Amino acid sequence: QVQPVESGGGSVQAGGSLRLSCHASGRLFSTYAMGWFRQPPGKEREFVAAIGWLERNVDYADSVTDRFIISRDNNKDTVYLQMNNLPPEDTAVYYCAARPRDIEHRVWKYYDWGQGTEVPVSS
């Protein structure tokens, strides 16, 4: 079990960039797949990106491919989400989540969740 804690959220103008961090304390962070999800205002939580315990395994939602980059530093028990060229539609609360080993898109497949960090994108 790990305890994710997100940071790095904040207001950004359309077209700008932001990097989110998620520190996941707990045993054996390197054996967990880490996912980023988001929940726009009034909508359901949705998959954004994930990175497996094998760092070469990554996946992105179609809406963020070529704009977002997920990475991890196992020495720091931290996963990152670099977000570029943000439009207002990316406004959401962004959550970090963990599950054993392999990546998944489904929200219910992740067991440990952070509290979320808000990212308002203004036009």
Side-chain angles (χ1 to χ4, degrees):
Q1 185 177 10
V2 295
Q3 291 81 46
V5 177
E6 304 92 341
S7 61
S11 297
V12 61
Q13 288 192 331
S17 297
L18 207 60
R19 188 177 82 155
L20 304 182
S21 300
C22 172
H23 181 255
S25 60
R27 297 181 60 200
L28 302 177
F29 170 81
S30 62
T31 68
Y32 281 81
M34 301 298 297
W36 284 99
F37 293 77
R38 67 186 180 187
Q39 188 161 9
K43 297 184 179 180
E44 293 186 353
R45 197 168 299 188
E46 62 185 21
F47 171 77
V48 175
I51 185 166
W53 72 289
L54 294 174
E55 297 178 44
R56 64 177 178 267
N57 293 333
V58 296
D59 201 5
Y60 298 93
D62 290 343
S63 59
V64 306
T65 298
D66 296 331
R67 297 190 299 116
F68 289 12
I69 301 171
I70 189 170
S71 61
R72 66 189 298 161
D73 185 340
N74 288 337
N75 291 324
K76 297 182 178 179
D77 293 347
T78 300
V79 62
Y80 303 96
L81 186 68
Q82 176 67 43
M83 305 187 296
N84 301 315
N85 193 22
L86 289 160
E89 298 75 52
D90 284 340
T91 293
V93 178
Y94 284 73
Y95 296 90
C96 175
R99 71 178 308 279
R101 299 176 71 86
D102 298 319
I103 59 178
E104 269 282 350
H105 287 199
R106 291 168 286 187
V107 171
W108 60 275
K109 284 286 190 177
Y110 286 78
Y111 307 135
D112 301 305
W113 289 84
Q115 294 299 307
T117 185
E118 292 190 43
V119 178
V121 183
S122 58
S123 56

PDB file of all heavy atoms in Angstrom, residues 9 13 24 28 32 35 37 42 44 53 56 66-67 75 78-79 81 84 89 98-99 103 105 114:
ATOM      1  N   GLY A   9      -0.422  21.783  -8.550  1.00  0.00           N
ATOM      2  CA  GLY A   9      -1.580  22.374  -9.200  1.00  0.00           C
ATOM      3  C   GLY A   9      -1.623  23.883  -9.001  1.00  0.00           C
ATOM      4  O   GLY A   9      -0.876  24.440  -8.195  1.00  0.00           O
ATOM      5  N   GLN A  13      -2.868  29.969 -17.531  1.00  0.00           N
ATOM      6  CA  GLN A  13      -3.570  30.500 -18.690  1.00  0.00           C
ATOM      7  C   GLN A  13      -3.537  29.500 -19.838  1.00  0.00           C
ATOM      8  O   GLN A  13      -2.621  28.669 -19.930  1.00  0.00           O
ATOM      9  CB  GLN A  13      -2.938  31.815 -19.130  1.00  0.00           C
ATOM     10  CG  GLN A  13      -3.221  32.968 -18.178  1.00  0.00           C
ATOM     11  CD  GLN A  13      -2.848  34.307 -18.772  1.00  0.00           C
ATOM     12  OE1 GLN A  13      -1.945  34.392 -19.606  1.00  0.00           O
ATOM     13  NE2 GLN A  13      -3.521  35.355 -18.338  1.00  0.00           N
ATOM     14  N   ALA A  24       4.440   9.191  -3.435  1.00  0.00           N
ATOM     15  CA  ALA A  24       3.679   8.068  -2.907  1.00  0.00           C
ATOM     16  C   ALA A  24       4.520   7.327  -1.878  1.00  0.00           C
ATOM     17  O   ALA A  24       5.315   6.453  -2.233  1.00  0.00           O
ATOM     18  CB  ALA A  24       3.259   7.126  -4.020  1.00  0.00           C
ATOM     19  N   LEU A  28       7.855  -0.357  -1.393  1.00  0.00           N
ATOM     20  CA  LEU A  28       7.951  -0.928  -2.731  1.00  0.00           C
ATOM     21  C   LEU A  28       7.252  -0.088  -3.796  1.00  0.00           C
ATOM     22  O   LEU A  28       6.545  -0.621  -4.654  1.00  0.00           O
ATOM     23  CB  LEU A  28       7.395  -2.352  -2.734  1.00  0.00           C
ATOM     24  CG  LEU A  28       8.071  -3.320  -1.757  1.00  0.00           C
ATOM     25  CD1 LEU A  28       7.373  -4.678  -1.797  1.00  0.00           C
ATOM     26  CD2 LEU A  28       9.556  -3.462  -2.078  1.00  0.00           C
ATOM     27  N   TYR A  32       4.722  -0.563  -8.160  1.00  0.00           N
ATOM     28  CA  TYR A  32       3.372  -0.085  -8.426  1.00  0.00           C
ATOM     29  C   TYR A  32       3.282   0.612  -9.776  1.00  0.00           C
ATOM     30  O   TYR A  32       4.193   1.336 -10.178  1.00  0.00           O
ATOM     31  CB  TYR A  32       2.932   0.897  -7.341  1.00  0.00           C
ATOM     32  CG  TYR A  32       2.491   0.227  -6.068  1.00  0.00           C
ATOM     33  CD1 TYR A  32       3.427  -0.213  -5.135  1.00  0.00           C
ATOM     34  CD2 TYR A  32       1.148   0.013  -5.802  1.00  0.00           C
ATOM     35  CE1 TYR A  32       3.032  -0.843  -3.966  1.00  0.00           C
ATOM     36  CE2 TYR A  32       0.743  -0.602  -4.626  1.00  0.00           C
ATOM     37  CZ  TYR A  32       1.696  -1.029  -3.722  1.00  0.00           C
ATOM     38  OH  TYR A  32       1.287  -1.656  -2.583  1.00  0.00           O
ATOM     39  N   GLY A  35      -1.091   6.054 -11.860  1.00  0.00           N
ATOM     40  CA  GLY A  35      -1.971   6.677 -12.831  1.00  0.00           C
ATOM     41  C   GLY A  35      -2.346   8.086 -12.437  1.00  0.00           C
ATOM     42  O   GLY A  35      -2.385   8.425 -11.253  1.00  0.00           O
ATOM     43  N   PHE A  37      -5.497  10.722 -13.051  1.00  0.00           N
ATOM     44  CA  PHE A  37      -6.885  10.859 -13.458  1.00  0.00           C
ATOM     45  C   PHE A  37      -7.298  12.310 -13.222  1.00  0.00           C
ATOM     46  O   PHE A  37      -6.613  13.046 -12.512  1.00  0.00           O
ATOM     47  CB  PHE A  37      -7.785   9.923 -12.641  1.00  0.00           C
ATOM     48  CG  PHE A  37      -7.540   8.468 -12.910  1.00  0.00           C
ATOM     49  CD1 PHE A  37      -6.441   7.818 -12.363  1.00  0.00           C
ATOM     50  CD2 PHE A  37      -8.393   7.746 -13.727  1.00  0.00           C
ATOM     51  CE1 PHE A  37      -6.206   6.464 -12.623  1.00  0.00           C
ATOM     52  CE2 PHE A  37      -8.177   6.405 -13.994  1.00  0.00           C
ATOM     53  CZ  PHE A  37      -7.077   5.766 -13.439  1.00  0.00           C
ATOM     54  N   GLY A  42     -18.474  18.970 -12.600  1.00  0.00           N
ATOM     55  CA  GLY A  42     -19.736  18.386 -13.006  1.00  0.00           C
ATOM     56  C   GLY A  42     -19.639  17.112 -13.815  1.00  0.00           C
ATOM     57  O   GLY A  42     -20.660  16.622 -14.333  1.00  0.00           O
ATOM     58  N   GLU A  44     -17.598  13.063 -14.506  1.00  0.00           N
ATOM     59  CA  GLU A  44     -17.031  11.909 -13.828  1.00  0.00           C
ATOM     60  C   GLU A  44     -15.497  11.923 -13.923  1.00  0.00           C
ATOM     61  O   GLU A  44     -14.924  12.547 -14.818  1.00  0.00           O
ATOM     62  CB  GLU A  44     -17.578  10.618 -14.438  1.00  0.00           C
ATOM     63  CG  GLU A  44     -19.054  10.413 -14.190  1.00  0.00           C
ATOM     64  CD  GLU A  44     -19.529   9.053 -14.682  1.00  0.00           C
ATOM     65  OE1 GLU A  44     -18.738   8.346 -15.326  1.00  0.00           O
ATOM     66  OE2 GLU A  44     -20.682   8.698 -14.405  1.00  0.00           O
ATOM     67  N   TRP A  53       5.047  -0.346 -13.558  1.00  0.00           N
ATOM     68  CA  TRP A  53       6.231  -0.549 -12.735  1.00  0.00           C
ATOM     69  C   TRP A  53       7.460  -0.719 -13.616  1.00  0.00           C
ATOM     70  O   TRP A  53       8.571  -0.386 -13.207  1.00  0.00           O
ATOM     71  CB  TRP A  53       6.035  -1.747 -11.805  1.00  0.00           C
ATOM     72  CG  TRP A  53       6.069  -3.073 -12.485  1.00  0.00           C
ATOM     73  CD1 TRP A  53       5.138  -3.602 -13.315  1.00  0.00           C
ATOM     74  CD2 TRP A  53       7.111  -4.046 -12.381  1.00  0.00           C
ATOM     75  NE1 TRP A  53       5.530  -4.836 -13.751  1.00  0.00           N
ATOM     76  CE2 TRP A  53       6.734  -5.149 -13.179  1.00  0.00           C
ATOM     77  CE3 TRP A  53       8.321  -4.092 -11.680  1.00  0.00           C
ATOM     78  CZ2 TRP A  53       7.537  -6.278 -13.312  1.00  0.00           C
ATOM     79  CZ3 TRP A  53       9.112  -5.219 -11.801  1.00  0.00           C
ATOM     80  CH2 TRP A  53       8.715  -6.297 -12.619  1.00  0.00           C
ATOM     81  N   ARG A  56       8.919   1.535 -19.119  1.00  0.00           N
ATOM     82  CA  ARG A  56       8.682   1.640 -20.561  1.00  0.00           C
ATOM     83  C   ARG A  56       7.200   1.531 -20.906  1.00  0.00           C
ATOM     84  O   ARG A  56       6.780   1.879 -22.005  1.00  0.00           O
ATOM     85  CB  ARG A  56       9.450   0.563 -21.305  1.00  0.00           C
ATOM     86  CG  ARG A  56       9.014  -0.859 -20.973  1.00  0.00           C
ATOM     87  CD  ARG A  56       9.778  -1.868 -21.820  1.00  0.00           C
ATOM     88  NE  ARG A  56       9.410  -3.233 -21.500  1.00  0.00           N
ATOM     89  CZ  ARG A  56      10.044  -3.976 -20.619  1.00  0.00           C
ATOM     90  NH1 ARG A  56      11.072  -3.483 -19.965  1.00  0.00           N
ATOM     91  NH2 ARG A  56       9.669  -5.225 -20.389  1.00  0.00           N
ATOM     92  N   ASP A  66       0.478  13.604 -26.905  1.00  0.00           N
ATOM     93  CA  ASP A  66       1.334  14.611 -27.543  1.00  0.00           C
ATOM     94  C   ASP A  66       1.369  15.927 -26.779  1.00  0.00           C
ATOM     95  O   ASP A  66       2.105  16.845 -27.168  1.00  0.00           O
ATOM     96  CB  ASP A  66       0.902  14.891 -28.994  1.00  0.00           C
ATOM     97  CG  ASP A  66       1.059  13.693 -29.895  1.00  0.00           C
ATOM     98  OD1 ASP A  66       1.950  12.862 -29.616  1.00  0.00           O
ATOM     99  OD2 ASP A  66       0.289  13.579 -30.858  1.00  0.00           O
ATOM    100  N   ARG A  67       0.584  16.042 -25.693  1.00  0.00           N
ATOM    101  CA  ARG A  67       0.651  17.269 -24.870  1.00  0.00           C
ATOM    102  C   ARG A  67       1.132  16.965 -23.457  1.00  0.00           C
ATOM    103  O   ARG A  67       1.764  17.811 -22.828  1.00  0.00           O
ATOM    104  CB  ARG A  67      -0.726  17.947 -24.794  1.00  0.00           C
ATOM    105  CG  ARG A  67      -1.254  18.437 -26.116  1.00  0.00           C
ATOM    106  CD  ARG A  67      -2.484  19.305 -25.925  1.00  0.00           C
ATOM    107  NE  ARG A  67      -3.583  18.598 -25.302  1.00  0.00           N
ATOM    108  CZ  ARG A  67      -4.097  18.886 -24.113  1.00  0.00           C
ATOM    109  NH1 ARG A  67      -3.590  19.884 -23.397  1.00  0.00           N
ATOM    110  NH2 ARG A  67      -5.127  18.186 -23.622  1.00  0.00           N
ATOM    111  N   ASN A  75      13.678   6.536  -7.216  1.00  0.00           N
ATOM    112  CA  ASN A  75      14.557   6.920  -6.098  1.00  0.00           C
ATOM    113  C   ASN A  75      13.881   7.931  -5.182  1.00  0.00           C
ATOM    114  O   ASN A  75      14.256   8.059  -4.008  1.00  0.00           O
ATOM    115  CB  ASN A  75      15.867   7.489  -6.622  1.00  0.00           C
ATOM    116  CG  ASN A  75      16.716   6.429  -7.299  1.00  0.00           C
ATOM    117  OD1 ASN A  75      16.736   5.271  -6.867  1.00  0.00           O
ATOM    118  ND2 ASN A  75      17.402   6.804  -8.360  1.00  0.00           N
ATOM    119  N   THR A  78       8.271   9.134  -6.604  1.00  0.00           N
ATOM    120  CA  THR A  78       7.479  10.220  -7.162  1.00  0.00           C
ATOM    121  C   THR A  78       7.170   9.968  -8.632  1.00  0.00           C
ATOM    122  O   THR A  78       8.015   9.470  -9.376  1.00  0.00           O
ATOM    123  CB  THR A  78       8.224  11.560  -7.015  1.00  0.00           C
ATOM    124  OG1 THR A  78       8.464  11.816  -5.612  1.00  0.00           O
ATOM    125  CG2 THR A  78       7.410  12.714  -7.577  1.00  0.00           C
ATOM    126  N   VAL A  79       5.960  10.316  -9.012  1.00  0.00           N
ATOM    127  CA  VAL A  79       5.544  10.286 -10.404  1.00  0.00           C
ATOM    128  C   VAL A  79       5.166  11.704 -10.806  1.00  0.00           C
ATOM    129  O   VAL A  79       4.674  12.479  -9.987  1.00  0.00           O
ATOM    130  CB  VAL A  79       4.374   9.300 -10.618  1.00  0.00           C
ATOM    131  CG1 VAL A  79       3.147   9.707  -9.827  1.00  0.00           C
ATOM    132  CG2 VAL A  79       4.039   9.164 -12.091  1.00  0.00           C
ATOM    133  N   LEU A  81       3.573  14.489 -13.931  1.00  0.00           N
ATOM    134  CA  LEU A  81       2.759  14.688 -15.121  1.00  0.00           C
ATOM    135  C   LEU A  81       3.074  16.070 -15.669  1.00  0.00           C
ATOM    136  O   LEU A  81       2.683  17.081 -15.078  1.00  0.00           O
ATOM    137  CB  LEU A  81       1.265  14.566 -14.815  1.00  0.00           C
ATOM    138  CG  LEU A  81       0.360  14.631 -16.043  1.00  0.00           C
ATOM    139  CD1 LEU A  81       0.560  13.388 -16.923  1.00  0.00           C
ATOM    140  CD2 LEU A  81      -1.110  14.755 -15.636  1.00  0.00           C
ATOM    141  N   ASN A  84       1.394  20.310 -21.153  1.00  0.00           N
ATOM    142  CA  ASN A  84       1.755  21.410 -22.050  1.00  0.00           C
ATOM    143  C   ASN A  84       0.560  21.829 -22.887  1.00  0.00           C
ATOM    144  O   ASN A  84      -0.370  21.046 -23.118  1.00  0.00           O
ATOM    145  CB  ASN A  84       2.898  20.986 -22.964  1.00  0.00           C
ATOM    146  CG  ASN A  84       4.133  20.570 -22.194  1.00  0.00           C
ATOM    147  OD1 ASN A  84       4.553  21.237 -21.244  1.00  0.00           O
ATOM    148  ND2 ASN A  84       4.735  19.467 -22.609  1.00  0.00           N
ATOM    149  N   GLU A  89     -10.428  23.382 -21.471  1.00  0.00           N
ATOM    150  CA  GLU A  89     -11.096  22.088 -21.289  1.00  0.00           C
ATOM    151  C   GLU A  89     -10.312  21.152 -20.372  1.00  0.00           C
ATOM    152  O   GLU A  89     -10.846  20.123 -19.934  1.00  0.00           O
ATOM    153  CB  GLU A  89     -11.306  21.400 -22.638  1.00  0.00           C
ATOM    154  CG  GLU A  89     -12.203  22.158 -23.625  1.00  0.00           C
ATOM    155  CD  GLU A  89     -11.508  23.345 -24.257  1.00  0.00           C
ATOM    156  OE1 GLU A  89     -10.396  23.171 -24.801  1.00  0.00           O
ATOM    157  OE2 GLU A  89     -12.062  24.467 -24.177  1.00  0.00           O
ATOM    158  N   ALA A  98      -2.587   4.612  -7.367  1.00  0.00           N
ATOM    159  CA  ALA A  98      -1.617   3.523  -7.451  1.00  0.00           C
ATOM    160  C   ALA A  98      -2.315   2.173  -7.493  1.00  0.00           C
ATOM    161  O   ALA A  98      -3.384   1.991  -6.894  1.00  0.00           O
ATOM    162  CB  ALA A  98      -0.667   3.567  -6.257  1.00  0.00           C
ATOM    163  N   ARG A  99      -1.713   1.258  -8.190  1.00  0.00           N
ATOM    164  CA  ARG A  99      -2.159  -0.133  -8.221  1.00  0.00           C
ATOM    165  C   ARG A  99      -0.931  -0.995  -8.461  1.00  0.00           C
ATOM    166  O   ARG A  99       0.072  -0.530  -8.991  1.00  0.00           O
ATOM    167  CB  ARG A  99      -3.208  -0.360  -9.296  1.00  0.00           C
ATOM    168  CG  ARG A  99      -2.687  -0.299 -10.709  1.00  0.00           C
ATOM    169  CD  ARG A  99      -3.814  -0.580 -11.721  1.00  0.00           C
ATOM    170  NE  ARG A  99      -4.534  -1.791 -11.438  1.00  0.00           N
ATOM    171  CZ  ARG A  99      -4.132  -3.013 -11.771  1.00  0.00           C
ATOM    172  NH1 ARG A  99      -3.006  -3.183 -12.415  1.00  0.00           N
ATOM    173  NH2 ARG A  99      -4.870  -4.075 -11.473  1.00  0.00           N
ATOM    174  N   ILE A 103      -0.412  -1.151 -15.760  1.00  0.00           N
ATOM    175  CA  ILE A 103      -1.278   0.003 -15.929  1.00  0.00           C
ATOM    176  C   ILE A 103      -2.707  -0.415 -16.280  1.00  0.00           C
ATOM    177  O   ILE A 103      -2.938  -1.489 -16.838  1.00  0.00           O
ATOM    178  CB  ILE A 103      -0.727   0.957 -17.012  1.00  0.00           C
ATOM    179  CG1 ILE A 103      -0.597   0.260 -18.369  1.00  0.00           C
ATOM    180  CG2 ILE A 103       0.608   1.520 -16.579  1.00  0.00           C
ATOM    181  CD1 ILE A 103      -0.108   1.187 -19.482  1.00  0.00           C
ATOM    182  N   HIS A 105      -6.741   1.591 -17.240  1.00  0.00           N
ATOM    183  CA  HIS A 105      -7.472   2.830 -17.498  1.00  0.00           C
ATOM    184  C   HIS A 105      -8.637   3.015 -16.522  1.00  0.00           C
ATOM    185  O   HIS A 105      -9.099   4.132 -16.331  1.00  0.00           O
ATOM    186  CB  HIS A 105      -8.062   2.820 -18.905  1.00  0.00           C
ATOM    187  CG  HIS A 105      -7.040   2.996 -19.971  1.00  0.00           C
ATOM    188  ND1 HIS A 105      -7.371   3.393 -21.243  1.00  0.00           N
ATOM    189  CD2 HIS A 105      -5.709   2.826 -19.967  1.00  0.00           C
ATOM    190  CE1 HIS A 105      -6.277   3.473 -21.979  1.00  0.00           C
ATOM    191  NE2 HIS A 105      -5.250   3.127 -21.227  1.00  0.00           N
ATOM    192  N   GLY A 114      -4.769   9.808  -4.026  1.00  0.00           N
ATOM    193  CA  GLY A 114      -4.467  11.067  -3.360  1.00  0.00           C
ATOM    194  C   GLY A 114      -5.721  11.916  -3.225  1.00  0.00           C
ATOM    195  O   GLY A 114      -6.805  11.538  -3.693  1.00  0.00           O
TER     196      GLY A 114
END
